């Protein structure tokens, strides 16, 4: 996921655009995640960007202009692309036959990208979410129960699964925290409202925030390529501790 775009790849693009146009009148070259261009690759692309061959259009995609060399930015026409509204994506999904509950979840997790929403549908994100909840919500679990959970997934658990599961659980606990503070709208996991309400009723805001912090630290560990099974065991052990009642008991 953190691979760079090197000078050899840019050279291949230059060779491609130099070929005569046979199949179509125009060529469109899209450099996805152009912020990953190495400096030599970026320097090599300057001439091509400044003077592309006739009927050739080059599109560089980056989250912010700061990811690109100023010399590249100065040669480009900037076209801001804003995220689509959640309602728009949800409507597109339901129009394509996606069930309402699934469309709502995918739209909330898509970060404004209709392509990402459809891609996640292919990955069956509702099942992935439910498995992540079953694995990572461990109120009061004993060390033996935690070891059993870890052993059950240890052979298949990898960095990508860890990242995806943690990201889903972060949005899940954000919903819990919102409900705990009386915010009823805009939930990502509206199809699991009873469980969200149950957790919101049992957990203090401090406990919810503690769990969010543990999950964020686990996510950071996966970004540093820590052994995902060890990261999971450590996070589950910490998550199982420190459960507080939702309300103070007066005696």
């Amino acid at each position: 996921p953190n691979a760079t775009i090197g000078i050899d790849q840019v050279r291949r693009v230059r060779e491609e655009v130099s070929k005569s146009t046979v199949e179509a009148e125009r060529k469109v070259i899209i450099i996805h995640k152009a912020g990953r261009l190495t400096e030599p690759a970026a320097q090599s692309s300057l001439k091509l960007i400044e003077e592309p061959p006739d009927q050739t259009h080059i599109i560089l995609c980056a989250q912010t202009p700061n990811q690109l060399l100023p010399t590249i930015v100065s040669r480009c026409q900037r076209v801001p692309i804003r995220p689509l509204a959640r309602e728009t994506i949800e409507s597109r999904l339901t129009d394509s036959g996606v069930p309402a509950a699934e469309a709502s979840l995918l739209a909330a997790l898509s970060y404004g990208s209709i392509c990402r929403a459809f891609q996640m549908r292919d990955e069956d994100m509702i099942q992935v979410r439910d498995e992540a909840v079953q694995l990572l919500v461990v109120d009061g679990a004993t060390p033996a129960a935690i070891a059993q959970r870890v052993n059950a997934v240890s052979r298949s658990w990898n960095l990508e699964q860890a990242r995806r599961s943690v990201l889903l659980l972060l949005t899940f606990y954000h919903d819990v925290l919102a409900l705990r503070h009386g915010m009823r709208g805009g939930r990502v996991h509206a199809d699991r409202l009873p469980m969200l309400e149950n957790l919101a009723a049992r957990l203090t805001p401090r406990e919810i925030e503690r769990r969010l912090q543990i999950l964020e630290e686990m996510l950071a560990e996966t970004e540093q390529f820590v052994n995902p099974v060890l990261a999971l065991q450590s996070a589950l052990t910490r998550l199982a501790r420190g459960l507080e009642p939702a309300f103070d008991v007066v005696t």
Side-chain angles (χ1 to χ4, degrees):
N2 296 317
T4 58
I5 301 173
I7 192 168
D8 289 340
Q9 292 164 284
V10 172
R11 285 171 178 160
R12 286 197 293 270
V13 171
R14 292 170 61 182
E15 291 172 2
E16 181 64 29
V17 299
S18 66
K19 297 176 182 178
S20 60
T21 303
V22 176
E23 297 180 354
E25 294 182 359
R26 297 176 183 272
K27 288 184 178 180
V28 178
I29 307 296
I30 300 175
I31 302 179
H32 184 51
K33 297 183 179 178
R36 294 182 180 175
L37 283 163
T38 63
E39 185 167 350
Q43 295 288 357
S44 177
S45 68
L46 281 175
K47 184 68 173 178
L48 175 63
I49 292 170
E50 187 172 24
E51 298 179 5
D54 290 341
Q55 307 304 315
T56 299
H57 305 275
I58 301 172
I59 300 174
L60 287 81
C61 302
Q63 290 185 340
T64 67
N66 293 336
Q67 293 181 331
L68 303 172
L69 290 179
T71 47
I72 288 182
V73 175
S74 67
R75 288 164 169 77
C76 295
Q77 178 182 353
R78 293 174 57 180
V79 181
I81 301 176
R82 304 188 185 283
L84 294 173
R86 177 172 168 178
E87 295 76 14
T88 300
I89 295 176
E90 188 171 344
S91 176
R92 287 282 301 276
L93 290 167
T94 53
D95 289 346
S96 299
V98 180
E102 185 178 1
S104 177
L105 174 63
L106 294 175
L109 296 173
S110 68
Y111 299 101
S113 169
I114 188 68
C115 292
R116 186 181 291 115
F118 278 103
Q119 180 182 3
M120 288 191 300
R121 199 204 178 195
D122 293 338
E123 298 169 356
D124 197 355
M125 292 303 290
I126 285 187
Q127 180 179 341
V128 173
R129 186 273 316 273
D130 289 345
E131 290 174 352
V133 169
Q134 185 177 12
L135 176 65
L136 289 163
V137 177
V138 288
D139 295 359
T142 64
I146 290 171
Q148 186 176 10
R149 291 194 185 198
V150 173
N151 289 335
V153 300
S154 60
R155 290 187 179 181
S156 60
W157 191 251
N158 56 45
L159 284 170
E160 182 57 34
Q161 285 178 304
R163 291 188 188 108
R164 187 168 55 176
S165 297
V166 172
L167 285 169
L168 285 166
L169 255 294
L170 284 169
T171 63
F172 194 83
Y173 273 117
H174 278 127
D175 278 359
V176 173
L177 187 61
L179 283 170
R180 188 69 180 84
H181 286 292
M183 301 167 61
R184 307 297 300 183
R187 290 182 301 276
V188 173
H189 304 276
D191 61 318
R192 293 295 180 265
L193 182 58
M195 186 176 187
L196 295 172
E197 290 179 330
N198 179 274
L199 286 169
R202 292 192 298 107
L203 305 178
T204 63
R206 185 171 65 179
E207 172 61 17
I208 298 169
E209 290 167 0
R210 185 186 76 89
R211 296 185 184 199
L212 286 168
Q213 181 178 351
I214 292 170
L215 290 170
E216 287 169 355
E217 290 170 359
M218 181 180 173
L219 182 62
E221 289 176 348
T222 65
E223 296 293 343
Q224 297 169 7
F225 301 99
V226 171
N227 184 308
V229 176
L230 293 179
L232 174 64
Q233 185 165 15
S234 174
L236 290 179
T237 301
R238 295 173 63 198
L239 287 166
R241 299 173 184 163
L243 183 63
E244 300 175 336
F247 302 99
D248 294 331
V249 178
V250 179
T251 59

